[in-house]
Amino acid sequence: MSYRLGVDVGGTFTDVLLVDEDSGATWRAKTASTPVDQAVGVLTGIGKVCADAGIAMGEVAQVLHGTTVATNAILEGKGARVGLVTTRGFRQVLQIARSFVPGGLAGWIIWPKPEPLADLEDTVEVDERIASDGSVVRPLDDDDVRRQLARLAGRGVQAIAVSLINSFADPAHERRVAELAAELLPGVPVSLSSDVLPELREYERTLTTVANGYVQPQVARYVQHLSAGLREGGVTAELAVLRSDGGLQSADAAVAAPVTMLLSGPAGGVTGAVWVAEQCGHRDLITFDMGGTSTDVALVRDLRPRIGRETKVGDLAVRASSVDVRTVGAGGGSIAHVPQLTRALRVGPQSAGADPGPAAYGRGGTDPTVTDADVVLGYLPSSLAGGEITLDAEASRAAVGKVAEAMGLESPEAAAAGIVDIVNENMLGGLRLVSVQQGFDPRDFALVAFGGAGPLHANALGRLTGAWPVIVPPGPGLLCALGDATTSRRDESARTVLRRLGQLTDAELVAILRELADEAGQRLAGQGLARADQTVGYQVDVRYSGQGFEIPVSVDPSWLEGGDALARLGAAFDAEHDRLFSFLLDVDHELVNARATVTGPRPDVAPVHLDPGDGDPAAALVTETRVYVDGGHTTAGVYDRERLRAGDVVRGPAIVTEMDSTTLVLPGHAATVHPSGSLLIEPLTDDAEG
């Protein structure tokens, strides 16, 4: 037998999913995360799930891991001290940055500008200059480089970032700086902009390179510790880490380019949602991942997540490919409060976190949260996470009661309903960001809900968006781990071209793209993925000549064979420009950047098939409970998801419980159990209700 392990580390829990690749059988484990050293929680979870499955840890063939180590280093400001090497005259590139006014009117007045990841005192200039066409304007002065690197050594920098002007056109000077840094600062990792982001725009290139160096030592320590722990436990399996764009890379590649994994965690959820939706026969979907602190949403068309060219973590926005995930500060731990000035109920973005957490957790929390509101409304069972957390309903009622008192409401239930309505509207805003504001109608998509709190609010979000069916996968709290276990290898090469299409020939475009594909393919071959198993995709950034921004356009590989690639590219850009902005320009197109993405085959993991039922879920009915929904109390059936069979129909109001999550089915809706195990929630028709 062959086993794959998917591991996802969250802020509260570490999720582990063990998959038998032959039968498709899965085993799940959920254990507390260990923020001081995430590897401890990961190893504990792996040991637990292997014990549950009755196998030795040495029988695991692959460990596929989505991690937030790099993300947390950025958010918590706990990265390395980075020394930046720039071209003479460009020392303040990070301080000048880009013109930016956050928020709405006068938002800049109260916005504290974030400090650059590399201090000005740790930035040095070297004497050199390369032109935009790659020609050498001023040769690199080795003696000057040695003097500047010695200054950085004296300041105790822990990582070096090298970003010289126009190095995307010729990386020779940057590579020479790296050679000298290896002599003068042995053991200090060096990031080159020509490797990290070989594209024009010096600020974005520099910022991305510095971010890579900022998180690199911490990622390296984590990977080394985890690898050592796996070996001690008898696991000789290969360790692979999820990239922000949803692909896998080797542990060594992750250490070399950690900036590619800043959104490793959310990307796993999107990948898992695609897998689940495909089993249910849906190819267009919106993902809805609601956790304790935030909600992540993304849009997928034809089973392909939209990949953006910008990765945002907190105030940091770097140029790295990532799944186009939007985050809203709304989760189960979001705190509800009533400001004295407005007396209007607010929910979030402040969160109770994992410690002390919601009042219901009984760890000393007293602030009313979304989770407490769900408890007061009767939507949550008495315990969560397989019994690891016992809920204190009285504490929740006392906390939410403070909101009711502040607003003059007649009961805690009324206040709780208001909290849930507001957090649902907050999350609707995130869903609109990836759908309506991108020109897509959410009614054309299914809504895949996961995360610990997602299935509890999914039916309401389906009602707000009109996105049906709402798909709740089995083990929704572990879907990110499933995504880690069902994704494939991926690598990318990029280059700045900066030529008008009228100045290019089809043969030149084909040569550029195939050369980039060969570069990425060679790197994946070095990671053990045979060239015969690789699939290539192409993307280029195009703009109208004279525009200050460009639009990514996917290039169908078949275009490279027809002799009309440039014409097809121009037409595809015009169509996308018209969709986004509703106008076209009668000027030549300009090719700015070109990229080739190489992926491996998706793992052959057999889907689970439930035994057929007769449509009646009575065998899964555990009890009935009193819930507050749609402005009044009613009785809802409580069902054990483990006992449901394919074809069973659970009519609302109903609550479906499982180890890692709870699903709420509202009145007027029904959840049908798909043979793959997912719940498909849709509105009842008049005939069905009758």
Side-chain angles (χ1 to χ4, degrees):
M1 288 187 176
S2 179
Y3 297 92
R4 295 166 62 88
L5 262 173
V7 183
D8 180 72
V9 179
T12 307
F13 293 108
T14 294
D15 301 322
V16 182
L17 183 74
L18 179 67
V19 181
D20 182 338
E21 292 187 296
D22 297 324
S23 67
T26 60
W27 294 265
R28 310 167 189 173
K30 204 173 188 73
T31 187
S33 295
T34 50
V36 175
D37 184 356
Q38 290 187 4
V40 174
V42 170
L43 294 170
T44 300
I46 292 176
K48 183 177 178 181
V49 77
C50 288
D52 291 345
I55 68 169
M57 289 176 66
E59 295 182 60
V60 176
Q62 288 181 302
V63 177
L64 313 172
H65 184 21
T67 176
T68 56
V69 170
T71 312
N72 292 344
I74 297 290
L75 293 176
E76 298 172 6
K78 296 180 179 178
R81 182 170 186 171
V82 182
L84 172 60
V85 181
T86 66
T87 299
R88 189 174 305 281
F90 289 84
R91 182 167 176 252
Q92 294 179 320
V93 58
L94 292 180
Q95 284 71 28
I96 296 172
R98 293 285 182 201
S99 176
F100 173 64
V101 177
L105 184 64
W108 58 272
I109 294 175
I110 59 173
W111 181 62
K113 184 177 179 180
E115 290 294 324
L117 297 181
D119 292 337
L120 190 60
E121 293 81 359
D122 295 332
T123 303
V124 297
E125 300 171 309
V126 295
D127 192 18
E128 68 83 43
R129 185 63 181 261
I130 288 177
S132 61
D133 61 0
S135 60
V136 177
V137 177
R138 190 164 61 250
L140 183 69
D141 185 337
D142 282 9
D143 291 336
D144 179 54
V145 173
R146 288 189 173 94
R147 286 192 298 271
Q148 301 305 328
L149 291 175
R151 287 182 55 196
L152 293 179
R155 296 191 61 83
V157 297
Q158 300 166 299
I160 297 290
V162 184
S163 182
L164 305 181
I165 191 70
N166 294 328
S167 61
F168 65 86
D170 184 350
H173 286 183
E174 286 196 351
R175 290 175 180 170
R176 178 55 182 162
V177 172
E179 292 173 0
L180 296 173
E183 295 176 10
L184 297 171
L185 292 89
V188 176
V190 179
S191 300
L192 304 183
S193 73
S194 51
D195 292 335
V196 175
L197 186 67
E199 298 179 5
L200 86 169
R201 295 197 172 93
E202 70 276 8
Y203 170 67
E204 286 78 7
R205 183 160 45 85
T206 302
L207 179 63
T208 304
T209 306
V210 170
N212 194 79
Y214 185 77
V215 301
Q216 196 167 36
Q218 197 158 335
V219 169
R221 284 194 299 271
Y222 172 71
V223 170
Q224 291 165 3
H225 189 186
L226 180 57
S227 298
L230 290 172
R231 289 193 298 269
E232 291 173 5
V235 179
T236 58
E238 170 197 20
L239 174 63
V241 180
L242 197 70
R243 293 161 49 101
S244 299
D245 58 12
L248 286 171
Q249 60 187 345
S250 69
D252 290 341
V255 172
V259 76
T260 62
M261 50 185 279
L262 289 177
L263 288 182
S264 175
V270 176
T271 303
V274 170
W275 170 268
V276 166
E278 185 177 17
Q279 306 308 312
C280 297
H282 292 272
R283 302 183 66 85
D284 297 328
L285 56 137
I286 299 174
T287 68
F288 169 55
D289 178 6
M290 183 179 178
T293 303
S294 61
T295 295
D296 299 321
V297 297
L299 185 136
V300 177
R301 295 187 70 196
D302 196 26
L303 298 178
R304 295 180 181 178
R306 289 171 62 83
I307 304 297
R309 288 293 296 148
E310 187 174 73
T311 300
K312 292 184 178 180
V313 177
D315 290 325
L316 179 71
V318 299
R319 287 294 294 268
S321 293
S322 65
V323 175
D324 187 15
V325 174
R326 306 299 175 93
T327 300
V328 181
S334 294
I335 297 172
H337 58 285
V338 182
Q340 290 188 353
L341 180 63
T342 63
R343 314 301 294 175
L345 178 61
R346 306 283 187 183
V347 181
Q350 298 84 5
S351 174
D355 186 17
Y361 286 9
R363 297 175 181 168
T366 58
D367 291 322
T369 67
V370 173
T371 295
D372 293 311
D374 288 327
V375 171
V376 169
L377 296 173
Y379 300 163
L380 283 172
S382 59
S383 63
L384 300 176
E388 284 196 22
I389 298 176
T390 300
L391 298 181
D392 186 342
E394 289 305 315
S396 291
R397 192 171 183 85
V400 175
K402 292 186 292 186
V403 173
E405 182 179 352
M407 299 189 67
L409 298 176
E410 68 277 6
S411 67
E413 285 84 359
I419 292 171
V420 169
D421 286 344
I422 288 176
V423 79
N424 287 344
E425 290 290 341
N426 290 344
M427 293 183 293
L428 173 64
L431 293 171
R432 288 178 61 86
L433 284 176
V434 299
S435 57
V436 176
Q437 291 195 17
Q438 299 294 323
F440 299 105
D441 188 337
R443 293 172 295 184
D444 296 332
F445 295 80
L447 182 66
V448 182
F450 53 101
L456 201 58
H457 295 258
N459 198 160
L461 266 297
R463 193 157 62 177
L464 289 171
T465 61
W468 304 110
V470 170
I471 301 174
V472 181
L478 292 160
L479 192 70
C480 289
L482 174 66
D484 299 340
T486 56
T487 191
S488 55
R489 295 275 186 182
R490 185 182 180 105
D491 204 339
E492 179 181 274
S493 286
R495 179 187 306 169
T496 290
V497 180
L498 209 59
R499 292 173 67 183
R500 296 188 183 187
L501 297 194
Q503 299 171 331
L504 278 170
T505 65
D506 283 294
E508 287 174 322
L509 175 61
V510 170
I512 291 170
L513 293 176
R514 287 183 172 164
E515 185 178 337
L516 291 171
D518 188 59
E519 291 175 5
Q522 286 182 8
R523 288 195 294 271
L524 282 183
Q527 298 178 30
L529 179 64
R531 298 299 289 263
D533 295 328
Q534 297 177 5
T535 302
V536 182
Y538 303 104
Q539 189 183 67
V540 294
D541 296 335
V542 184
R543 65 188 180 190
Y544 288 121
S545 181
Q547 278 186 324
F549 66 94
E550 52 273 359
I551 298 173
V553 178
S554 296
V555 177
D556 191 311
S558 65
W559 297 359
L560 308 187
E561 309 294 339
D564 58 351
L566 291 173
R568 289 175 176 265
L569 177 59
F573 170 80
D574 285 342
E576 182 68 2
H577 195 282
D578 187 51
R579 187 186 71 81
L580 290 171
F581 307 111
S582 301
F583 74 91
L584 301 176
L585 295 178
D586 186 18
V587 298
D588 198 2
H589 304 85
E590 188 173 30
L591 175 58
V592 181
N593 301 309
R595 285 179 297 279
T597 303
V598 180
T599 58
R602 193 165 67 177
D604 186 16
V605 179
V608 176
H609 294 283
L610 296 182
D611 295 332
D614 58 4
D616 185 358
L621 182 64
V622 177
T623 186
E624 291 185 340
T625 189
R626 191 164 177 260
V627 297
Y628 187 92
V629 61
D630 292 341
H633 284 97
T634 187
T635 300
V638 180
Y639 296 84
D640 181 357
R641 188 163 183 175
E642 291 288 331
R643 302 184 199 173
L644 292 172
R645 295 293 174 258
D648 287 352
V649 179
V650 178
R651 287 176 169 79
I655 296 170
V656 182
T657 64
E658 54 190 309
M659 185 273 286
D660 61 333
S661 190
T662 301
T663 302
L664 174 66
V665 184
L666 295 173
H669 298 76
T672 302
V673 182
H674 191 270
S676 65
S678 291
L679 300 177
L680 273 58
I681 303 175
E682 294 189 90
L684 286 168
T685 62
D686 293 337
D687 292 341
E689 290 182 283

